[in-house]
Amino acid sequence: MAPRGVATPDVRERLFAAAERVVEKGGPGALTSRSVTAEAGCAKGLLHAHFAGLDEFVAELCLDRFARTAAKARALSGLAGQGTVAGNLDAVALALFDSGGPAISGLAMTRPAAALRIREALESGAPGFAAIQESITGYLEDEQKLGRLARASDPHTVALAVVGTAHHLLMTSWAGTPDPRPSMTRLVAALVEDQGLSFGSGRAQG
């Protein structure tokens, strides 16, 4: 535990990671400011020193994780023509499930004030599912220009299916339910096949 009066480096991320572990182990009901700081191994008042309350903390946690995935989706533009289209898409989709994604999404649903903060932030331009969908669409359009996606395919529809399914799985997954990631991977593979994307680095046929 950090002693009083000594700055704790990367406080937000330390508390966020601790909250994810608490929820993964005990479910949404286990999350309290005390359980988070205990898990993080820091002073009990540290969370409230950086956040107005638990609802703000939960909202900021969710928004931070959305922003991380959105950044990964933006990086797709540099991967056009590299690796496999299915692999590139799958990596971004699965990033939404990293670090306890389903558990954290379920947590936000149990806290209406946090959910409202998240919605307001997204409406104000914070990166979320819409930004991820836009980046995936742009990436697929680039692959289409390179001939790795059939000309007749619809990048916007593929991106919508990926993001929409990820959202659904996040909202319907909780402790005790099957791991949603295999379903996400199967969906991406099916979309790749249906839309005529190439699994390798060669050019799509048709």
Side-chain angles (χ1 to χ4, degrees):
M1 181 176 295
R4 291 183 180 276
V6 176
T8 304
D10 302 320
V11 171
R12 283 171 57 92
E13 178 53 34
R14 183 172 175 179
L15 292 173
F16 288 165
E20 289 172 335
R21 295 192 297 271
V22 168
V23 175
E24 286 180 325
K25 290 185 289 186
L31 191 82
T32 64
S33 58
R34 179 166 295 187
S35 67
V36 172
T37 52
E39 179 68 29
C42 56
K44 295 178 182 179
L46 191 62
L47 187 149
H48 290 283
H50 290 269
F51 301 92
L54 202 56
D55 286 322
E56 181 180 281
F57 174 76
V58 169
E60 289 296 319
L61 168 57
C62 291
L63 290 168
D64 179 83
R65 285 358 189 190
F66 281 151
R68 284 188 174 196
T69 306
K72 190 166 187 174
R74 286 196 301 273
L76 276 172
S77 61
L79 297 179
Q82 301 179 37
T84 67
V85 177
N88 293 340
L89 282 182
D90 196 41
V92 170
L94 293 184
L96 283 163
F97 300 93
D98 290 345
S99 301
I104 297 303
S105 296
L107 173 63
M109 291 177 64
T110 66
R111 304 188 72 89
L116 178 60
R117 284 177 178 269
I118 294 169
R119 187 181 71 187
E120 290 175 343
L122 294 176
E123 289 174 350
S124 297
F129 286 108
I132 295 168
Q133 180 182 335
E134 182 179 350
S135 293
I136 292 175
T137 299
Y139 162 71
L140 292 176
E141 289 173 344
D142 290 341
E143 293 286 21
Q144 197 170 42
K145 293 173 184 176
L146 293 173
R148 304 213 309 167
L149 174 61
R151 289 188 299 274
S153 65
D154 183 352
H156 176 78
T157 298
V158 175
L160 177 61
V162 169
V163 173
T165 300
H167 183 272
H168 167 72
L169 290 173
L170 283 168
M171 294 298 106
T172 57
S173 298
W174 49 81
T177 59
D179 184 347
R181 288 171 293 188
S183 295
M184 192 73 247
T185 296
R186 287 194 296 272
L187 174 84
V188 169
L191 288 171
V192 163
E193 182 177 355
D194 289 345
Q195 293 292 322
L197 282 79
S198 132
F199 280 89
S201 58
R203 297 172 67 87
Q205 300 298 315

